[in-house]
Amino acid sequence: ADLIEKDGYAPWYDGFESFYVRRLKIRIDDCFARPIHGAPGRYVKCFNRIRHGKTGYLYDGTSNECLNLSSYNYLGFAQSNGVCTDYALGCVDDYGTSACSPRAISGTTDLHQKCERVIADFVGKEDAIIVSQGYGTNANLFSSIADSKTLVISDELNHASIRFGIRLSGASVKVFKHNDTKDLEKLIRNQIAQGQPKTHRPWKKIIIAVEGLYSMEGNMCNLPEIVEIKDKYKCYLFVDEAHSIGALGPGGRGICDYFSVDPARVDLLMGTFTKSFGATGGYIAGDKYLIEKMRTNYITQVYSESVPPAVMGQIISSLSVIEGTLNPGEGQERLQRIAFNSRYLRLGLKKLGFIVYGADDSPVIPVLLFLPAKMPAVSRMLYDMKIAVVIVSYPATPLISGRARLCVSAALTKEDLDYVLQKFNEVGDQIFLKFSSGIAGGS
Ligand code: PMP
């Protein structure tokens, strides 16, 4: 009750909290924020906890080493691995652990400049700017490129950081049905119809905002059709590649690489270093003049600390491995492994009879659980079997489509995945998660 009202003041928590109050809340909490120790690689060491009182946990210091399908570690760079770790450690020796200043003051090291060059070349754009946080990259981007005369047309399932950034910019927003290019085109035509002839729109500019790979659905945006629409109606296109950069495409260069779309057709390619590179921070890659402008008007460049230089070292070295200039052959091996693992696990789960969302090549594999009460059960049963997965639920998903989200990694072996399939099968049978007797083959 104290969550709901205190001494006549409005409650601090509503929405999520009020939905999950009562006995389910403590069990739902068991799915989240379990402290870990060490690098989140193939395995992750999680601290055991027991319930304490009505709302808390006690930790006795013991831990459980779990197969890790809970961290974003698509290419396996998060765990300690030879050349990258050596390079990053060398950067700590040379640069310390912090640049001690925002980029626009004295926090731009030569490593930041090198990293921006490397990522721009990798994604096929003229220039790039690095920001200290992926969320902050999106949250502050739109204020620097949009205003009240701008219309942003946003996919309904875009990440919270994109939605927040658009709202903050004061731009008008229209939302189209998830990945539905017919709805997108209809919306643009309606907007254009309101404009004057020739100026063709009441808007100074229209920006279409989508993600390369949707992190809750595990599907890719329909980029080939979206670039056609963008060209036809002379809109700008922004693509968030947080989950696709490094993880998709024969060269790991993301969604353009995956669909063989020329990156020149996408105006702004945004990405984060947190998923495929074992690092932190985000970037925007685009035309030189635009990125140059951002170096002064992107507020995080001015008001927020730059990414620690050693993190730049981790990004530069992992990108060099992917491109094959460092440890030739290893990058391709990792890319092939993530492609194989993604398809193998997804198909295996489908064969067992689970309902799985998304595309075959996606390293994000959402397994539908539907009932909120099954979420803590799945999380706990798998944890006891030494498998760590993420549970995603309302408000990140619709109320009745909570899911276990498996993030595949190149660090996992086929034997690991067979173990996961076997244990999922057992859990699925025990708590009635399977919705058919499975598919015979194909996907
Ligand atoms: N964009 C998308 C699509 C994301 O999924 C995320 C985080 N998962 C972010 C941006 C924010 O990135 P970061 O966690 O690196 O801040």
Side-chain angles (χ1 to χ4, degrees):
D2 57 346
L3 291 177
I4 294 168
E5 203 177 313
K6 205 164 190 183
D7 302 334
Y9 285 94
W12 279 110
Y13 300 105
D14 46 23
F16 182 86
E17 292 284 358
S18 62
F19 173 70
Y20 287 118
V21 284
R22 310 233 178 101
R23 297 187 66 79
L24 192 56
K25 167 85 174 61
I26 181 95
R27 281 187 270 140
I28 293 279
D29 278 352
D30 189 38
C31 305
F32 305 114
R34 182 184 290 280
I36 65 165
H37 177 80
R42 175 179 171 199
Y43 295 101
V44 60
K45 202 180 262 185
C46 306
F47 285 106
N48 293 320
R49 59 187 176 194
I50 43 170
R51 280 172 61 170
H52 176 65
K54 281 194 179 149
T55 54
Y57 288 104
L58 273 183
Y59 293 88
D60 62 5
T62 60
S63 58
N64 201 5
E65 187 156 75
C66 297
L67 266 182
N68 189 7
L69 287 98
S70 67
S71 306
Y72 304 123
N73 181 25
Y74 297 137
L75 290 177
F77 284 115
Q79 65 199 78
S80 160
N81 47 77
V83 285
C84 295
T85 316
D86 290 349
Y87 192 88
L89 285 175
C91 296
V92 175
D93 284 342
D94 292 347
Y95 295 80
T97 50
S98 167
C100 297
S101 174
R103 289 291 303 276
I105 304 179
S106 58
T108 297
T109 65
D110 51 344
L111 282 182
H112 289 87
Q113 289 177 317
K114 180 169 177 193
C115 194
E116 288 179 338
R117 188 64 266 141
V118 172
I119 189 71
D121 290 344
F122 185 67
V123 299
K125 300 303 284 183
E126 283 177 5
D127 204 352
I129 187 167
I130 286 172
V131 183
S132 39
Q133 198 199 34
Y135 189 97
T137 309
N138 283 337
N140 296 308
L141 167 74
F142 293 91
S143 309
S144 70
I145 57 167
D147 57 23
S148 59
K149 295 203 171 65
T150 306
L151 173 67
V152 183
I153 305 192
S154 175
D155 187 287
E156 69 177 325
L157 295 188
N158 272 342
H159 190 257
S161 56
I162 304 174
R163 302 207 306 263
F164 179 76
I166 297 169
R167 264 191 233 141
L168 197 67
S169 74
S172 292
V173 197
K174 295 280 173 201
V175 172
F176 68 99
K177 284 190 205 135
H178 177 54
N179 220 7
D180 183 336
T181 46
K182 285 205 174 62
D183 196 44
L184 169 65
E185 184 162 10
K186 197 169 107 199
L187 221 157
I188 297 175
R189 288 170 79 99
N190 283 345
Q191 289 301 313
I192 287 174
Q194 293 172 21
Q196 302 300 312
K198 294 256 159 79
T199 59
H200 94 226
R201 58 188 73 161
W203 310 108
K204 204 163 66 181
K205 59 189 165 214
I206 297 180
I207 304 172
I208 301 168
V210 295
E211 289 183 31
L213 170 61
Y214 288 87
S215 59
M216 296 292 157
E217 309 304 300
N219 64 338
M220 294 92 175
C221 71
N222 188 344
L223 191 65
E225 285 185 20
I226 293 173
V227 288
E228 290 301 322
I229 294 173
K230 162 231 139 95
D231 284 348
K232 185 168 165 191
Y233 297 99
K234 296 192 168 33
C235 303
Y236 292 99
L237 177 60
F238 160 90
V239 181
D240 178 329
E241 291 233 74
H243 292 268
S244 45
I245 193 67
L248 290 183
R253 290 165 204 268
I255 196 72
C256 293
D257 192 17
Y258 182 78
F259 282 118
S260 302
V261 166
D262 183 352
R265 299 187 72 187
V266 181
D267 302 280
L268 290 168
L269 282 168
M270 176 272 175
T272 68
F273 298 114
T274 39
K275 312 328 189 214
S276 292
F277 307 100
T280 180
Y283 65 84
I284 302 280
D287 290 345
K288 192 157 193 51
Y289 80 92
L290 183 63
I291 301 297
E292 272 310 321
K293 188 165 169 274
M294 281 184 187
R295 293 197 197 286
T296 49
N297 77 351
Y298 208 114
I299 51 175
T300 52
Q301 296 291 298
V302 185
Y303 295 110
S304 178
E305 173 68 22
S306 72
V307 190
V311 173
M312 296 292 106
Q314 167 72 15
I315 299 165
I316 294 166
S317 56
S318 52
L319 273 168
S320 309
V321 170
I322 298 169
E323 287 186 304
T325 51
L326 197 59
N327 271 10
E330 186 189 321
Q332 265 309 311
E333 233 171 71
R334 287 175 188 264
L335 290 167
Q336 282 162 15
R337 170 61 56 193
I338 181 77
F340 171 82
N341 284 357
S342 302
R343 295 180 82 94
Y344 186 75
L345 185 57
R346 174 179 295 273
L347 189 57
L349 287 161
K350 281 186 177 175
K351 275 188 183 158
L352 290 173
F354 290 97
I355 294 188
V356 180
Y357 277 179
D360 287 353
D361 292 327
S362 159
V364 177
I365 305 184
V367 183
L368 270 289
L369 308 176
F370 298 105
L371 282 180
K374 292 197 175 175
M375 298 182 323
V378 169
S379 169
R380 174 51 69 171
M381 288 167 88
L382 289 170
Y383 181 71
D384 290 341
M385 295 165 168
K386 296 188 186 299
I387 299 172
V389 300
V390 167
I391 300 294
V392 282
S393 63
Y394 175 83
T397 69
L399 200 54
I400 52 151
S401 58
R403 53 203 78 167
R405 187 180 58 170
L406 312 186
C407 286
V408 179
S409 169
L412 298 167
T413 63
K414 183 167 170 293
E415 291 67 42
D416 294 339
L417 300 180
D418 285 334
Y419 178 76
V420 172
L421 287 169
Q422 183 201 331
K423 294 301 169 191
F424 247 87
N425 196 26
E426 286 171 29
V427 171
D429 281 339
Q430 275 183 51
I431 59 169
F432 307 105
L433 283 177
K434 290 147 77 177
F435 290 85
S436 72
S437 53
I439 52 170
S443 54

